[in-house]
Structure formats: C-alpha cells, structure tokens
C-alpha cells in the first residue's frame, strides 16, 4: 500500500490535528520522503536537518508506517525517554498506526533483584544518604513494572547506591540467578524482541555490535531499518566501543565483589580479605607510577613506561592468585564462577595492553592500516588503559555490510555548507552503494533573529590572559541582555580549567558591576536540574563546558546570549588524534584541513545551535576567538554556521540584545 506523505504532513493533515504547534514545512516532508525511500530500497541516507525542521516527526512517520522492524537509536537516555514517552505516542496516535514500541536501555539502568537483596542484607553502603536511597528503591521496586532507574526520581542519577543495586555484564549471574524469571533486563529484552519499533541509545547500540562480534547472544533483535538520531555523536561513541578499556575501578570493584562472594559462599576455603587486599594494593602502586590527574598520554610518551609495565605485571600476578582461588571454589556457587570469568576478562585486557591487540575478527579488518593506539588516562586515585583504533570507518563499514537493511543517519550538524565528506569518511560511509546525503537549512530567520559578534583586540587563544579577556568582553553583553527584561546567558568553554576560571572572575565582576544575576556552574547539580533552574530564573548566567554544547533546548528570553570562548579544535596532544595526524602526514595529506578544521566547524555548529530554538527567539552569539575572522581558514568555519548577521562592534551587539536594533 502506497503511503501518502504529502497528505499526512499537510497543514490540515492528521499530524497537524494531533500535535500542538505543528507547522507544515516542505523540508520536513522532503526529509520524510528520503527516509521512506531508504526504507523501501534498503538504502543508506545521511540527512542533515537544521534546527526547527522537525526531524523527529520526519523520521517517525516512515518508521511507523514503513513496515518491518525498526531500531531508533538516539544520543542520550533523556532523548530516549522523550521519544518513547512523548514523541512516538503522539505520532502513533495521529497516524492511528497499530505498531508496538519497546524501550531498551543498558542493564545498568535497571534495578537487579539479586543485588538489591544483597545490598539490603550486607549493609555496605558508604553513607546514610545512600542507605535512605536504598530504602526508597526497595519500596518503589514493588510498584514498577520496568525497574527503570528513571522510575525513581527521588534517587539522584549519580547516587553511589545504584552501583549496589544494578548488575553489569561482568557480574550478572544470567540464568543461574534465582531471580532470573523476574529480571527487569530480561523482560525489557523480551519486549524488544516482540516489538515493531525499539528505542535504544548509541551506547547500547554499539555494545550490541561488540557483544555479537564476541559470539554472545544478540542483545538487539534483527531489524529491517536502523535510524540513528544525533548521528554526529557516532564517531566518538564508536571509538569507545571498537576499542578496549581496562579501568582500575573495574579491578577495585572485582576485589570488593570477590571478597563478598567468597565470604558468602566459601568462607573457610581461602583468606579472601588478604587476596583482594593485595590486588587493591597492587593497583594503587600502579597508579602512583602515573603522572598527575587529568592526563591522557600515549604509551610511547610515558616517562615511566617500564615502571608502569612492571607494576601492571604485579597486578596480573595478584589477579591470577584471585582467579585460582575462585576457580577452585567455582562449583560451589554461580556467583564465584561469574567472578572467575571477570578475572579472566580483566587479565586478557591488561595482557592485551601490555602486548599486542589480539587478532579478533573486529581488529583484523584493517590490520596495519588501522592500528590500535595504546594510551593511558589518569584520574584522582584511578586510571584507565586504552586500546583505540585509529579509525572506526573500516570497522563500522564492515558492520553495515554484514546484513542488508536500511540505514538512516540524521542530525542538525553533519556537514559543512552541504559538504558531508568529513562525516562520511569518519563513519566509513563514502562510496557505499545506494548512499544518499542531503541537507536542509533551518527554517528560522537567522538574518533577523541572530547576530554573530567577534570582539576586536582579543589576545591569542593560547595567551594566559585569554579567559579574562573573554569574560571582560562578555560582561557588557550580559548586562544588555537584561535591560529590556529577562535575558539569560550561556558561557561555554572548551576546557574545564577555563570554565572554572571564568566562574571565579564572574563571581567577582558581576558583584563589582552591580549586576544582581544568578550565576550557575556546571557540576553544581545534574544537567537536567541546572537547565530547569536556568529556565525558571529567566536571567541567569550559566558557565559550562562542552557537555552543554548539545542536547540543550532553552526557548524564549531565558536565553538571549551564547558566549563561546574559542574555536573547539581537539587538543593536538590527544594520543589518538596525534597518531591520526602523523599517519595523514606520512600519506602526504593535510590533517589540519582534512580533519581538524572540519571537526572543529561541526562542533562549533553544535554550540551555536543552542541560541535559536524557536521562531520567536532572538539573541547574540559571541565567539571570543578572532581566528574565526582573521585567519584564512576561519571563513570555512563561520560559513558552516547558520546565516546570522555579523559584527565586530560591541555597541551593535549590545543594541541588538537590548532591542534597539531590530
């Protein structure tokens, strides 16, 4: 049966009748037609849709009507919940589509009956507050059909108690668990297997790819269509999952669980406290070899490389002692057997980092052309060992070619002036048979709604006084945004160090200038909490880093000014980026123009997209980095931004904010 999209998306169509504030947009209809064509012909569509196009409805209509099984993957759990609880029900009702829909998250998002009972009986929680949260979860779990953490709003997302009442892939007892029949994870997977449309997030999507590659049971059902929303996030997420990581926290958690499991099921067999304590000591000794917190260092650049390798071999010895002890008692209880398997997996990860990346099917694809980069990341009392493929393109392309189905990639930021070459190359999509890339500009009137302001006489972005200069240039604009009533500001920084310094300066300067404005700082609460406060206050200044550059939607006068300190070039000392730059140079290519510049342009486009979220919005985007207008390559970056008016005159920006310039 032919699907009449024109009628469905018309101004008097069923979508308009069912969705409040719906507007018929030609670009939305064209996007839906492209997606339907991809579904019908099992093609690949890479679609950029500017803010306000209505891309969610554009892909939901063909997804719900196109037939077959559809997986929709989005960037965050918040967007997942929004799709499942709000967007899909509205569109399904409008279309009268008899499709079943399931929401599937990673297992850490579901309460585990086994570990909940264990937490209640062992009482090993770190604080009284966590004990209170445990009681809330234990009471609430009796009334939740899903066991989803989102069903417990009174327990903070970052509460330590969640680690004690959820399972991981490593410590799940599977079918040996006494609570297997009541398991929320299994129930969610069963629903997903039976549903027509399954809503997941990118982390779960890639986790399934990796689990399937390792020969384990398929986590997500086979499907006819995959729709990847917020697709600009995929290269980074793919790098995370196509690589391998061993975290010190994993080993500390293993030691904690092994002591508990050993005492519970084989108390007299071994000195479990001694076995786990020596493993923890070995991990701490390895951390002491590494440099200060917050460092990301390639293996070859480690000053104490031999000392670290020696310390890790001591960890392996202590890990082997624990593994043997667990192996000798594994038949006594399934939990001891699961703990032994965790030892084997961590042992393999450390050995892989110390030696070669093992020849699995994933890693063999690109061989020497796509080597794994060995690097280490240090934190306060912890660290992580990483093996990351230089490029995810051949790995992801191999996954796509594995089974014939439709693939749809969509986001507001995939191209630079309709040039998709950077994104296609990153994901291995270039040259694919049947691949089609299209772009639609935002329907908003940026020429009248927004102004791009780059201050004059700014120091170089590398200068010690640069952050002070950004704050100084922004203060008159912050004041102007509030002259005609409420008007809030986002100040977005490319590093946490600059963010914290700017917050210190603003705390002092707002007071000195008599600007009685609420000042919010990323980290003072969850992102959701901070955004709710920001919207409610209407005149706040929010100082944040790149975690607020995307997925943030503030409409109206609550946000009139967005300040971005500098062009978001990835740090050249990043181990993976450094290896890619060296490889491109050896090939006679220009890594700056081919990779670093387009990547920065797309990230900046995301940050700039926070400003105008509605047809009635109006505001100024200030970028403190003069390279945007003074360097020849800057033109390529600002041309990727929405078509705003531009100025370097502070007075123009102030008048625009205060409403004097229309």
């Amino acid at each position: 049966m032919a699907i009449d999209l024109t009628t469905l998306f018309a101004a008097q169509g069923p979508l308009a009748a069912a969705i409040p504030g719906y507007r018929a947009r030609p670009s939305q209809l064209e996007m839906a037609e492209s997606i339907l064509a991809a579904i019908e012909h099992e093609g690949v569509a890479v679609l950029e849709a500017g803010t306000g196009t209505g891309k969610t409805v554009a892909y939901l209509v063909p997804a719900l009507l196109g037939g077959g099984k559809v997986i929709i993957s989005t960037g965050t759990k918040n967007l997942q919940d929004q799709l499942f609880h709000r967007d899909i029900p509205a569109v399904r009702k409008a279309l009268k589509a008899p499709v079943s829909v399931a929401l599937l998250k990673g297992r850490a998002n579901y309460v585990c009956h086994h570990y909940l009972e264990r937490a209640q009986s062992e009482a090993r929680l770190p604080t009284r507050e966590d004990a209170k949260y445990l009681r809330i979860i234990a009471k609430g779990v009796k009334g939740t059909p899903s066991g989803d953490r989102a069903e417990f709003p009174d327990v903070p997302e970052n509460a330590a108690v969640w680690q004690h009442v959820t399972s991981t892939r490593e410590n799940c007892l599977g079918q040996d668990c006494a609570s297997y029949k009541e398991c929320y994870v299994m129930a969610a997977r069963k629903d997903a297997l039976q549903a027509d449309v399954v809503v997941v997030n990118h982390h779960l999507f890639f986790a399934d790819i990796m689990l399937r590659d390792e020969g384990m049971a398929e986590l997500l059902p086979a499907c006819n269509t995959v729709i990847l929303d917020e697709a600009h996030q995929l290269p980074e997420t793919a790098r995370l999952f196509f690589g391998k990581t061993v975290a010190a926290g994993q080993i500390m958690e293993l030691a904690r669980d092994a002591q508990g499991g050993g005492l519970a099921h084989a108390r007299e067999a071994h000195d479990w406290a001694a076995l786990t304590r020596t493993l923890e000591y070995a991990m701490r000794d390895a951390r002491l070899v590494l440099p200060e917190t917050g460092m990301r260092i390639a293996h070859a650049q480690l000053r104490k490389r031999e000392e670290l390798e020696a310390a890790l071999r001591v960890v392996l010895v202590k890990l082997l002692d624990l593994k043997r002890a667990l192996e000798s008692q594994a038949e006594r209880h399934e939990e001891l057997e699961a703990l032994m398997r965790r030892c084997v997996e961590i042992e393999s990860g450390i050995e892989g980092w110390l030696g070669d990346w093992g020849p699995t099917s994933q890693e063999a694809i690109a061989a020497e052309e796509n080597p794994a980069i060995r690097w280490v990341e240090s934190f306060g009392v912890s660290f992580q060992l990483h093996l990351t493929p230089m490029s995810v393109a051949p790995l992801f392309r191999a996954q796509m070619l594995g089974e014939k189905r439709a693939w749809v990639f969509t986001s507001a930021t995939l191209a630079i002036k309709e040039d998709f070459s950077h994104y296609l190359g990153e994901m291995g999509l270039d040259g694919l048979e049947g691949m089609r890339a299209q772009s639609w500009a935002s329907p908003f009137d940026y020429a009248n709604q927004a102004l791009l302001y780059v201050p004059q006489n700014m120091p170089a972005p590398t200068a010690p006084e640069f952050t002070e200069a950004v704050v100084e240039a922004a203060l008159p604009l912050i004041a102007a945004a509030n002259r005609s009533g409420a008007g809030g500001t986002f100040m977005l920084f490319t590093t946490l160090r600059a963010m914290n310094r700017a917050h210190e300066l603003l705390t002092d300067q707002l007071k000195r200038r008599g600007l009685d404005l609420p000042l919010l700082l990323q980290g003072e609460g969850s992102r959701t909490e901070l955004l709710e406060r920001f919207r409610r206050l209407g005149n706040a200044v929010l100082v944040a880093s790149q975690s607020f550059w995307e997925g943030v939607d503030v409409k109206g006068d609550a946000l009139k000014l967005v300040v971005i300190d500098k062009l978001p070039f990835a740090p050249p000392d990043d181990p993976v980026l450094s290896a890619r730059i060296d490889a491109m140079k050896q090939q006679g290519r220009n890594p700056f123009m081919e990779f670093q510049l387009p990547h920065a342009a797309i990230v900046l486009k995301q940050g700039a997209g926070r400003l105008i979220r509605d047809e009635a919005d109006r505001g100024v985007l200030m970028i403190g980095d003069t390279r945007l207008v003074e360097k020849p390559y800057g033109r390529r970056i600002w041309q990727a931004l929405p078509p705003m008016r531009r100025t370097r005159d502070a007075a123009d920006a102030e008048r625009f904010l205060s409403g004097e310039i229309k």
Side-chain angles (χ1 to χ4, degrees):
M1 183 181 73
I3 300 171
D4 184 3
L5 293 178
T6 303
T7 299
L8 295 176
F9 283 90
Q12 284 78 41
L15 292 170
I19 300 175
Y22 177 85
R23 286 174 180 261
R25 301 191 189 282
S27 55
Q28 186 183 47
L29 172 60
E30 290 172 13
M31 182 179 176
E33 289 172 339
S34 293
I35 293 170
L36 183 60
I39 291 173
E40 291 175 341
H41 298 100
E42 297 181 320
V44 179
V46 182
L47 310 175
E48 181 184 74
T51 306
T53 303
K55 64 182 173 66
T56 303
V57 175
Y59 67 67
L60 283 180
V61 172
L64 298 183
L65 298 180
K69 196 129 188 155
V70 180
I71 290 178
I72 300 174
S73 182
T74 188
T76 65
K77 288 182 288 185
N78 287 340
L79 288 171
Q80 237 189 307
D81 288 332
Q82 179 181 310
L83 267 173
F84 181 74
H85 294 293
R86 192 186 75 185
D87 297 335
I88 292 178
V91 174
R92 182 170 56 180
K93 182 179 178 182
L95 301 177
K96 296 182 174 61
V99 296
S100 56
V101 185
L103 177 68
L104 186 59
K105 299 180 181 179
R107 66 167 63 249
N109 292 279
Y110 301 96
V111 176
C112 170
H113 291 291
H114 171 75
Y115 286 105
L116 174 60
E117 290 173 12
R118 180 165 159 175
Q120 288 176 289
S121 62
E122 294 182 357
R124 292 190 299 159
L125 296 170
T127 67
R128 287 185 178 180
E129 196 167 46
D130 282 305
K132 181 188 77 173
Y133 293 145
L134 178 61
R135 289 192 294 272
I136 293 173
I137 295 168
K139 182 179 179 181
V141 80
K142 297 172 184 175
T144 170
S146 69
D148 190 338
R149 284 167 57 161
E151 302 265 345
F152 301 86
D154 294 331
V155 182
E157 193 173 324
N158 60 352
V161 69
W162 287 120
Q163 298 173 24
H164 296 267
V165 300
T166 56
S167 69
T168 64
R169 183 169 64 86
E170 292 82 9
N171 69 18
C172 174
L173 302 179
Q175 294 185 18
D176 293 327
C177 181
S179 301
Y180 183 76
K181 290 183 179 179
E182 294 79 39
C183 177
Y184 291 122
V185 174
M186 292 301 111
R189 290 181 181 178
K190 184 178 178 181
D191 288 345
L193 285 166
Q194 296 171 348
D196 300 307
V197 177
V198 185
V199 182
V200 302
N201 59 58
H202 296 337
H203 279 73
L204 181 60
F205 181 80
F206 279 104
D208 179 55
I209 287 177
M210 295 310 296
L211 289 175
R212 196 161 58 234
D213 245 34
E214 292 171 7
M216 296 181 70
E218 210 172 306
L219 186 63
L220 298 176
C223 65
N224 305 95
T225 301
V226 175
I227 298 175
L228 298 154
D229 196 357
E230 301 295 322
H232 62 277
Q233 297 179 6
L234 293 175
E236 189 61 37
T237 309
R239 267 188 286 276
L240 177 67
F241 281 97
F242 284 128
K244 290 184 177 180
T245 297
V246 177
Q250 276 179 277
I251 300 175
M252 293 300 195
E253 186 178 297
L254 169 66
R256 183 195 72 193
D257 293 347
Q259 182 173 346
L263 292 173
H265 309 299
R267 178 179 290 270
E268 77 294 343
H270 296 282
D271 186 346
W272 298 103
L275 282 166
T276 56
R277 186 168 57 247
T278 55
L279 177 57
E280 289 174 348
Y281 287 164
M283 286 303 305
R284 292 193 178 108
D285 288 344
R287 172 64 186 91
L288 291 173
V289 176
L290 292 167
E292 65 270 20
T293 294
M295 298 293 289
R296 296 158 59 95
I297 311 167
H299 176 264
Q301 267 71 58
L302 279 168
R303 287 201 305 271
K304 298 181 178 180
R305 184 166 65 250
E306 291 180 0
E307 290 95 321
L308 176 62
E309 291 180 355
L312 289 173
R313 289 194 169 91
V314 173
V315 172
L316 282 174
V317 170
K318 303 305 178 185
L319 189 64
L320 183 60
D321 290 341
L322 179 60
K323 183 182 78 171
R324 286 171 177 160
L326 290 165
E327 191 173 20
S328 70
Q329 305 299 316
E331 291 183 359
R332 296 180 69 167
H333 198 274
E334 61 271 7
E335 186 174 351
L336 299 178
E337 186 178 351
L339 286 163
M340 184 192 70
R341 289 196 299 268
R342 287 166 67 183
C343 286
V344 171
E345 186 167 336
I346 293 172
E347 180 184 26
S348 172
I350 296 176
E351 288 176 341
W353 194 87
L354 288 169
D356 297 323
W357 203 8
T360 68
S361 59
Q362 278 294 340
E363 295 123 20
I365 294 170
E368 294 180 4
E369 296 177 11
N370 188 32
I373 313 304
R374 269 198 290 177
W375 56 286
V376 63
E377 189 170 13
S378 62
F379 306 97
V381 294
S382 184
F383 64 92
Q384 293 181 345
L385 307 173
H386 298 276
L387 276 167
T388 306
M390 188 180 296
S391 170
V392 300
L395 303 170
F396 188 73
R397 188 185 183 100
Q399 292 295 334
M400 290 185 63
L401 297 175
E403 294 181 51
K404 188 68 174 171
R405 59 166 63 100
W407 292 81
V408 177
F409 301 77
T410 183
S411 169
T413 52
L414 296 177
I416 303 172
K417 285 195 70 179
E418 301 185 15
D419 178 2
F420 289 85
S421 56
H422 173 72
Y423 185 78
L424 297 179
E426 280 284 273
M427 294 301 295
L429 305 177
D430 42 346
L432 278 179
E433 184 181 350
M435 195 279 295
R436 186 176 183 185
Q438 291 174 273
S439 179
W440 294 273
S442 168
F444 298 153
D445 184 5
Y446 279 95
N448 289 310
Q449 289 180 252
L451 181 72
L452 171 61
Y453 166 56
V454 181
Q456 300 184 59
N457 304 316
M458 292 289 287
T462 53
E465 68 275 15
F466 179 73
T467 300
E468 284 82 349
V470 171
V471 171
E472 190 68 25
L475 281 163
L477 275 63
I478 292 171
N482 281 274
R483 277 188 203 132
S484 58
T489 301
F490 272 6
M491 294 199 69
L492 305 177
F493 293 85
T494 51
T495 66
L496 289 172
R497 184 177 179 180
M499 177 192 82
N500 289 320
R501 177 60 181 148
H503 183 258
E504 291 175 10
L505 293 165
L506 283 162
T507 301
D508 178 59
Q509 288 296 326
L510 290 175
K511 188 175 181 180
R512 281 174 180 268
R513 298 181 185 224
L515 293 171
D516 186 19
L517 302 174
L519 184 60
L520 309 179
L521 176 66
Q522 173 186 316
E524 292 177 335
S526 71
R527 190 167 82 157
T528 301
E529 291 167 344
L530 281 175
L531 285 172
E532 286 175 358
R533 287 174 62 195
F534 185 86
R535 293 187 186 100
R536 185 174 67 251
L537 290 164
N539 64 343
V541 179
L542 172 62
V543 185
S545 72
Q546 282 185 267
S547 63
F548 275 77
W549 286 48
E550 58 179 278
V552 174
D553 192 7
V554 179
K555 297 178 181 178
D557 289 343
L559 181 59
K560 285 185 178 178
L561 172 64
V562 173
V563 177
I564 294 176
D565 65 336
K566 64 178 73 171
L567 300 181
F569 288 109
D573 59 349
D574 177 273
V576 181
L577 175 60
S578 178
R580 293 188 71 172
I581 288 172
D582 290 344
M584 292 177 81
K585 285 179 178 177
Q586 290 173 13
Q587 296 166 2
R589 297 162 63 189
N590 185 331
F592 180 77
M593 295 302 291
E594 290 184 41
F595 179 77
Q596 292 166 279
L597 187 66
H599 178 266
I602 288 174
V603 174
L604 184 66
K605 195 172 173 182
Q606 272 290 330
R610 300 314 98 211
L611 183 63
I612 304 298
R613 308 297 300 174
D614 190 77
E615 291 174 332
D617 284 357
R618 178 180 171 85
V620 167
L621 171 66
M622 172 186 144
I623 298 177
D625 192 335
T626 60
R627 291 177 295 179
L628 185 67
V629 291
E630 294 175 357
K631 293 290 185 182
Y633 60 76
R635 179 182 179 86
R636 187 176 174 195
I637 296 179
W638 64 251
Q639 283 185 332
L641 298 175
M644 309 175 186
R645 278 187 269 180
R646 300 191 303 277
T647 186
R648 301 205 66 187
D649 188 336
D652 285 348
E654 290 178 48
R655 288 197 297 271
F656 191 91
L657 282 165
S658 61
E660 296 174 42
I661 296 179
K662 298 296 184 182

